[in-house]
Amino acid sequence: MEEREGGGARGASGRRGRGELESDVLAALWAADGPLTAGQVREALPGDLAYTTVLTILSRLHDKEMLVRHREGRGYAYEPVRDEASHTAQRMRSLLEGGSDREAVLARFVSELSEQDEHVLHQLLSGHDARAEDDHSGGRA
Amino acid sequence: MLLSVYIPFAVTAVLAVLAPRLTPLLPPRPAAWALACAALVTSVGWAGALALLAFTGVAQIPEVAEQGRWSVTALRAEDPVYLVVAVASALLLTAGTVSLGIAAVRQTRHVVRARRECARLPQTELVVLDDDAPIAFALPGKPGRVVVSRGMLRCLGDRERAALLAHERAHLRGRHHLFQGLWLLAAALNPVLRPLAVAGEFVLERWADEEAAARVGDRTVVAHAVGRAALASAGAPRPAALAATGGVVPQRVRALLAPPPARRRLPLMAGGLLLAVCCASLVNAASDSDRMVDSAQCAAYAAAPSAPSGEDHRHEPDICRR
């Protein structure tokens, strides 16, 4: 298992499938403040993707009507289409509220924090260079 | 029978106490598999042992004995189980089965609903919600989707975003919802196993974290992604239904900031041994109770007056001839 994971790390950008690349591009565009050009998208993505690859993915997402684009200089700047996403948001919210055992179906990225958790987390993230100290306090949850 | 039928209960109790303490120290993937095996075997052991104990009581009901053609008096004489224990076992088993059934129906309903929602989503792996609250989860289906809100994407940096996606993909690729389903059902059958389900949930998150770290190539990035997402969620108003599970996020971040967990064989081997003992003792108890029934059948045969001529369908049980 460890060997395989190591392999995954080496090929982090090389082995991503088409679907994963689409997700990465879409995520970058949604995270941005405004429309992005292909070059800007490429900068926001991890790894060294070829410019043409990014361009291909952008035009494919545009064909699927998930992006809108407008001329900017010699190329286009892309922006995600928002109306479907807000419909989806409502449905997904109701899915999340569907009872306590939904937990088994939906794996959420982060669970809730208590006030103490929040404090500990701030400490961990601000001072993780002082790793030795963390090890000493490892017993506290 | 006297002792071995109780061993599955002991194993279940020991695992319910030890597993949540040991599994966080192990690499998450083997830990998740170990917890899944433990849940499966102890559930079978628990239900099997209860069934054997309950059977000794049920078998003494005259109508049942009539059907099975065994002697109630012989069975009672040999039976090492108090009637109270047998009745309690029958009740526990019934309650467990009912609760398992309810949990299974609910679980199926959730999976079906998730599948249906999945089918209605756009044909991309990633589905972005136009929602400022930070939300991210993996929605299992065919194919599964990663669902992330705009608010979540905007609170993370470029590399942290990649870590988040890798984490959710790991949940989908590892079919983590099946693990969770198994633990949930096991805990429904036997509430003693609930700590296993809680430990399992944590281990699955750790599994996805470690896989994300391997993908991104940097554990610190994942630690920051998890921490930042959690802090952003804590600041945002959220629906009341998102239940609280405290302490998990800091533990995950701490584990990511520390070196990767070392592989340890001993806890896994000890756990495997316990499970083997559980299986062996269940088999032993089952064969003991089988033998008990056999000899009660012999007693019934010996006691019965010779059958009216021409209607002799009461064959002597084979075992009595030995």
Side-chain angles (χ1 to χ4, degrees), chain B residues 18-28 31 35 199 202-203 206 251 255 261:
Chain B
L18 287 187
R21 285 168 179 72
L22 287 179
T23 42
L25 309 175
L26 299 172
L35 282 174
F202 175 71
V203 163
R206 286 278 305 123
Q251 282 179 53

Side-chain angles (χ1 to χ4, degrees), chain B residues 2-315:
Chain B
L2 190 58
L3 192 70
S4 59
V5 75
Y6 297 102
I7 287 180
F9 303 135
V11 170
T12 305
V14 169
L15 281 176
V17 171
L18 287 187
R21 285 168 179 72
L22 287 179
T23 42
L25 309 175
L26 299 172
R29 186 144 95 169
W33 279 105
L35 282 174
C37 291
L40 196 64
V41 173
T42 51
S43 296
V44 171
W46 171 274
L50 283 181
L52 284 176
L53 286 172
F55 172 76
T56 58
V58 172
Q60 289 177 27
I61 301 172
E63 286 78 13
V64 177
E66 179 72 26
Q67 281 294 311
R69 290 176 191 155
W70 55 65
S71 146
V72 172
T73 34
L75 202 62
R76 195 170 294 157
E78 263 197 76
D79 186 10
V81 181
Y82 290 112
L83 199 57
V84 187
V85 175
V87 170
S89 302
L91 289 178
L92 265 179
L93 187 60
T94 313
T97 314
V98 169
S99 129
L100 176 67
I102 294 172
V105 168
R106 264 199 209 151
Q107 190 64 16
T108 315
R109 209 179 291 157
H110 282 293
V111 170
V112 167
R113 184 158 176 220
R115 282 274 155 92
R116 208 168 39 215
E117 290 295 347
C118 236
R120 289 171 67 187
L121 292 172
Q123 291 301 310
T124 45
E125 181 207 33
L126 173 72
V127 175
V128 182
L129 309 180
D130 197 354
D131 197 327
D132 285 327
I135 301 170
F137 59 91
L139 183 64
K142 283 180 182 174
R145 307 295 165 76
V146 174
V147 183
V148 185
S149 70
R150 193 172 74 101
M152 180 65 92
L153 289 172
R154 288 176 69 91
C155 80
L156 300 176
D158 288 343
R159 298 185 71 197
E160 291 165 358
R161 212 168 52 229
L164 164 70
L165 294 181
H167 174 103
E168 300 302 343
R169 277 176 198 140
H171 279 317
L172 292 176
R173 199 172 28 227
R175 298 177 173 274
H176 288 180
H177 65 287
L178 296 182
F179 285 82
Q180 286 242 290
L182 172 68
W183 291 320
L184 203 109
L185 295 180
L189 172 70
N190 178 5
V192 176
L193 292 176
R194 201 155 291 156
L196 239 64
V198 175
E201 195 180 330
F202 175 71
V203 163
L204 289 183
E205 291 306 322
R206 286 278 305 123
W207 179 349
D209 282 346
E210 288 296 335
E211 214 166 300
R215 279 273 147 161
V216 181
D218 189 341
R219 302 167 65 78
T220 319
V221 170
V222 184
H224 279 249
V226 171
R228 210 185 282 219
L231 288 174
S233 308
R238 67 221 130 172
L242 300 189
T245 34
V248 172
V249 171
Q251 282 179 53
R252 282 167 63 192
V253 171
R254 191 173 278 135
L256 282 165
L257 293 177
R263 278 209 250 187
R264 287 170 215 249
R265 288 257 160 79
L266 199 64
L268 291 179
M269 275 159 56
L273 194 68
L274 272 178
L275 293 182
V277 167
C278 175
C279 292
S281 56
L282 186 67
V283 168
N284 179 268
S287 79
D288 276 0
S289 86
D290 188 42
R291 205 174 312 138
M292 208 167 70
V293 168
D294 281 344
S295 74
Q297 279 179 332
C298 291
Y301 177 79
S306 42
S309 58
E311 266 190 74
D312 189 23
H313 53 261
R314 273 199 179 202
H315 294 292

Side-chain angles (χ1 to χ4, degrees), chain A residues 9 12 23-24 30 32-33 82 88 91 93-94 97-98 101-103 105 107 109 111-112 117 128 131 140, chain B residues 106 110 113 117 121 125 130-131 133 136-138 140 154 168 180 214-215 224 239 241-242 247 252 254 257:
Chain A
S23 310
D24 295 345
W30 274 99
D33 286 321
R82 290 183 70 163
T88 323
R91 292 212 315 271
R93 278 231 168 200
S94 78
E97 285 157 10
D101 42 3
R102 89 197 130 66
E103 291 287 346
V105 180
F109 185 49
S111 47
E112 284 194 0
D117 286 348
H128 73 263
R131 236 169 242 186
R140 288 184 294 127
Chain B
R106 264 199 209 151
H110 282 293
R113 184 158 176 220
E117 290 295 347
L121 292 172
E125 181 207 33
D130 197 354
D131 197 327
F137 59 91
R154 288 176 69 91
E168 300 302 343
Q180 286 242 290
R215 279 273 147 161
H224 279 249
L242 300 189
R252 282 167 63 192
R254 191 173 278 135
L257 293 177

Side-chain angles (χ1 to χ4, degrees), chain A residues 74-102:
Chain A
R74 284 183 294 144
Y76 291 104
Y78 294 81
E79 205 175 6
V81 174
R82 290 183 70 163
D83 48 346
E84 171 144 32
S86 51
H87 281 293
T88 323
Q90 282 168 9
R91 292 212 315 271
M92 290 297 134
R93 278 231 168 200
S94 78
L95 198 63
L96 275 177
E97 285 157 10
S100 61
D101 42 3
R102 89 197 130 66

